[in-house]
């Protein structure tokens, strides 16, 4: 509302009050339960972040030496704080003090990849910033500077984080292969192996379904008929891309399950269910 006789200022005329927008006093005309989706997203993401935070800083029960199960939250383990058997990629750092994540080397890139992901952006803009909380619901903020200005301009780094995510997925694949280890050090398969393999397959599916990946494979091609292999690859990742949201959530769940299972076995709470050796 403006005082009688005064003109609205620019900030008052942005968003749903911008010139040319329908003049509707209500925040939304939606009558369905539009609050449910952002609330659910807020709750689930908060639980996951809290779990990941506790597990990454605890530096406990992240490695089962007998079967070479290494938690994805602590991989690659390249500090002197890790047991020598977990340091397949060498020792890059000295001892980490308590509360420093053992996967410090890749964590900033992993967080950067997820935080700048097109789907997660939608999810946390809606659920944490209410910007807007749902379609056709006015946001509470008066200004919106978009992603062309600081700080959100950094969202455009996503394509570079994608490249880092490919390297991290390769490391996770290596960990899954190493998990085919039996009690005697030879070949073996346990439930932990199966969980780690499923996790890594889904991580690859999530990474390949990335919008940047789709653009790298099929972008700037004027005629697909001249590049049949790229067309095939682009068709494949395009199909995965339609499931990007589902893969984003599924991989959060499989990461949690993989880490949780390894924590239970490593702490001696349960024994690994062995299938072979
Ligand atoms: S768009 Fe989600 S990971 Fe790239």
């Amino acid at each position: 509302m403006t005082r009688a006789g005064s003109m609205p200022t620019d900030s008052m005329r942005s968003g749903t009050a911008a010139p040319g927008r329908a003049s509707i006093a209500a925040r939304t005309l939606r009558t369905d339960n539009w609050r449910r989706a952002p609330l659910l997203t807020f709750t689930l993401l908060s639980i996951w972040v809290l779990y990941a935070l506790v597990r990454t800083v605890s530096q406990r029960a992240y490695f089962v030496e007998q079967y070479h199960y290494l938690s994805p939250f602590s991989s690659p383990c390249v500090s002197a704080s890790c047991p020598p058997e977990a340091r397949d990629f060498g020792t890059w750092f000295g001892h980490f003090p308590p509360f420093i994540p053992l996967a410090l080397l890749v964590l900033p890139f992993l967080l950067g990849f997820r935080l700048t992901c097109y789907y997660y952006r939608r999810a946390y803009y809606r659920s944490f910033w209410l910007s807007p909380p749902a379609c056709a619901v006015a946001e509470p903020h008066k200004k919106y500077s978009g992603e062309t200005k600081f700080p959100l301009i950094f969202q455009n780094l996503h394509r570079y984080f994608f490249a880092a995510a490919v390297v991290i997925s390769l490391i996770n694949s290596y960990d899954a292969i190493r998990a085919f280890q039996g009690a005697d050090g030879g070949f073996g398969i346990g439930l932990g192996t199966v969980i780690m393999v499923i996790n890594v397959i889904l991580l690859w599916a999530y990474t390949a379904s990335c919008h940047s990946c789709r653009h790298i494979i099929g972008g700037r091609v004027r005629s697909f008929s001249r590049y049949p292999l790229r067309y095939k690859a682009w068709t494949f990742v395009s199909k995965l891309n339609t499931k990007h949201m589902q893969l984003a959530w599924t991989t959060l769940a499989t990461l949690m399950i993989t880490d949780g299972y390894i924590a239970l076995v490593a702490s001696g709470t349960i024994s690994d269910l062995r299938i072979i050796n």
Side-chain angles (χ1 to χ4, degrees), residues 113 117-118 158 206 210-211 244:
F113 184 53
C117 162
Y118 293 15
H158 186 66
Y206 169 70
C210 167
H211 293 69
H244 195 57

Side-chain angles (χ1 to χ4, degrees), residues 2 14 64 95 147 152 157 177 203 243 246 259 271 275:
T2 58
S14 64
V64 181
H95 278 279
E147 293 179 336
L152 293 184
L157 293 176
I177 293 167
L203 283 177
K243 304 276 178 244
Q246 290 88 334
D259 175 76
S271 301
I275 301 163

